[in-house]
Amino acid sequence: MGPPESAAELGADAVELREPEPCEPEPASPDDEPTDAPGRGRCWPWGAGACGSRGEPAKKKAPCPGLGLFYTVLSAFLFSVASLFVKKVQDVHAVEISAFRCVFQMLVIIPCLIYRKTGFIGPKGQRLFLLLRGVFGSSAMILMYYAFQTTSLADATVIAFSCPVFTSIFAWIFLKEKYSLWDAFFTLFALVGVILIVRPPFLFGSDTSGMRESYSEHIKGTFAAIGHAVLAAMTLVILRKMGKSVDYFLSIWYYVILGLPECIIILFVIGGWSLPYCGLDRLFLILIGLLGLGGQIFITKAVQIEKAGLVAIMKTMDVVFAFIFQIAFFDNMPTWWTVGGALCVVASTTGATVRRWIQSSK
């Protein structure tokens, strides 16, 4: 179990400090010599800051309004850059990339856990949630990487952002969080943007212009991205459920320690293990691990101080970054449908941010 300092650093739901009850000093004896420090049964002068002090008690600072949303945007950027490198890596299976990421993150997490003295198991009442977080999170990572390799970067990203729908529903069911009309509106608006970008055939016909991969590969990537959305939503809800009772490094530890054997088993079954031949690919694998770690830290911090549904909506900034990277690095210009969908997603994100600021200012 983590030290008290670890919980205090997270601080959003820390207990309020109470003003100590003043104690009355005992009458001084004539033989007592004056001294700078109070003797037994005495108190410091009023306002001196010790027992019986009437000075202002130390107050715990509330989280900065919108800090959780800022952490979410920063996490989205780091994950998007990591996704770019996943797309750039050649001749390495998505599951193997996930295994490398787990190894690199593990090398960073272990000394952090030792330094913070949190242990490697976690609080007794939270271990089941930690196990579920590890399994769901690592499985979502594998599915997302597979989607990146089998379909376009932008398509995989936006399909995965059906996540806000599942997150809001799961948070309402398991966390009893309020699901307001505003939440429904912003979620619906984000989904409209996703639909415009993906252009499913049952709505837009069989036009596949701009699709560079085969239709069968695109379908595989689509289902992988949807699976990622469901598991990522469950992960967000579990993190919110644990809250600040679990150190965020410990949460990531379960993610990598369960993800690595899962990747090894899958690679053994499919026979997909192969070392990268290109030195640049090896560099990309290292950066994927480091960027993924940074993204995990910030998204974990975000859901600890913000509603899971709002974090999921704000995380749609991944879509914006994905399209920027697709244009810049893959020379794949979006269609007008894609532009319209991206505008819907940005509008939804902006609306959620403004609503958060208005609420915090009341």
Side-chain angles (χ1 to χ4, degrees):
M1 188 171 181
E5 297 81 29
S6 298
E9 288 171 2
L10 301 174
D13 296 327
V15 293
E16 297 180 358
L17 298 179
R18 298 181 179 179
E19 183 176 354
E21 295 291 335
C23 56
E24 297 182 1
E26 294 179 356
S29 171
D31 298 331
D32 286 344
E33 295 182 2
T35 177
D36 292 337
R40 180 182 178 184
R42 300 183 189 175
C43 293
W44 293 87
W46 301 122
C51 171
S53 172
R54 289 187 182 272
E56 291 294 326
K59 293 183 178 179
K60 207 66 177 171
K61 287 186 177 180
C64 177
L67 181 61
L69 301 182
F70 172 75
Y71 283 156
T72 307
V73 174
L74 185 56
S75 170
F77 176 76
L78 295 177
F79 279 134
S80 297
V81 177
S83 303
L84 173 65
F85 291 144
V86 171
K87 191 70 176 177
K88 285 284 189 180
V89 171
Q90 302 294 325
D91 302 323
V92 179
H93 198 279
V95 180
E96 186 175 346
I97 297 176
S98 303
F100 274 106
R101 172 176 166 175
C102 289
V103 170
F104 291 126
Q105 289 187 352
M106 188 182 300
L107 295 177
V108 176
I109 288 296
I110 290 176
C112 290
L113 290 175
I114 295 174
Y115 175 77
R116 296 169 70 89
K117 299 179 181 179
T118 60
F120 292 87
I121 301 178
K124 187 174 181 180
Q126 302 291 346
R127 291 171 189 171
L128 176 60
F129 293 121
L130 285 168
L131 288 171
L132 292 174
R133 183 267 186 275
V135 173
F136 289 156
S138 58
S139 299
M141 170 186 62
I142 294 172
L143 290 173
M144 193 73 259
Y145 285 178
Y146 182 76
F148 286 144
Q149 288 193 334
T150 53
T151 189
S152 71
L153 180 64
D155 284 350
T157 303
V158 295
I159 293 171
F161 276 97
S162 55
C163 179
V165 177
F166 298 110
T167 303
S168 299
I169 295 173
F170 292 154
W172 173 57
I173 294 174
F174 297 109
L175 304 183
K176 309 303 179 184
E177 288 189 1
K178 182 180 178 181
Y179 189 79
S180 67
L181 290 177
W182 281 110
D183 294 324
F185 173 75
F186 290 131
T187 301
L188 179 62
F189 212 55
L191 284 178
V192 170
V194 170
I195 291 172
L196 290 176
I197 293 170
V198 177
R199 288 181 296 163
F202 66 89
L203 290 177
F204 294 86
S206 57
D207 180 18
T208 58
S209 58
M211 188 184 299
R212 297 186 177 182
E213 65 281 345
S214 67
Y215 184 74
S216 61
E217 289 295 304
H218 177 73
I219 288 297
K220 291 178 182 178
T222 298
F223 278 105
I226 293 174
H228 163 85
V230 174
L231 294 176
M234 287 301 301
T235 301
L236 287 171
V237 171
I238 291 171
L239 289 172
R240 182 65 178 175
K241 177 69 176 179
M242 292 188 298
K244 299 157 195 63
S245 62
V246 175
D247 189 278
Y248 53 91
F249 279 109
L250 183 62
S251 173
I252 300 173
W253 164 251
Y254 269 82
Y255 170 83
V256 298
I257 198 62
L258 293 177
L260 182 58
E262 180 181 358
C263 292
I264 292 175
I265 293 172
I266 295 175
L267 287 172
F268 177 78
V269 172
I270 66 177
W273 178 266
S274 63
L275 292 176
Y277 299 103
C278 176
L280 189 60
D281 283 350
R282 297 170 189 172
L283 175 61
F284 286 161
L285 289 174
I286 295 174
L287 291 176
I288 289 168
L290 296 178
L291 291 169
L293 174 62
Q296 283 292 330
I297 291 174
F298 284 112
I299 195 62
T300 303
K301 294 286 286 182
V303 296
Q304 286 179 335
I305 60 177
E306 189 55 84
K307 282 188 176 181
L310 190 55
V311 168
I313 295 173
M314 191 64 181
K315 203 174 180 297
T316 53
M317 283 300 297
D318 268 349
V319 175
V320 179
F321 294 131
F323 278 93
I324 293 174
F325 294 157
Q326 179 168 302
I327 296 171
F329 296 98
F330 298 101
D331 194 24
N332 189 352
M333 292 297 296
T335 64
W336 284 109
W337 290 109
T338 300
V339 173
L343 289 176
C344 287
V345 172
V346 172
S348 173
T349 303
T350 304
T353 306
V354 171
R355 176 175 174 267
R356 173 60 181 168
W357 277 101
I358 293 175
Q359 284 184 330
S360 63
S361 62
K362 290 181 180 180

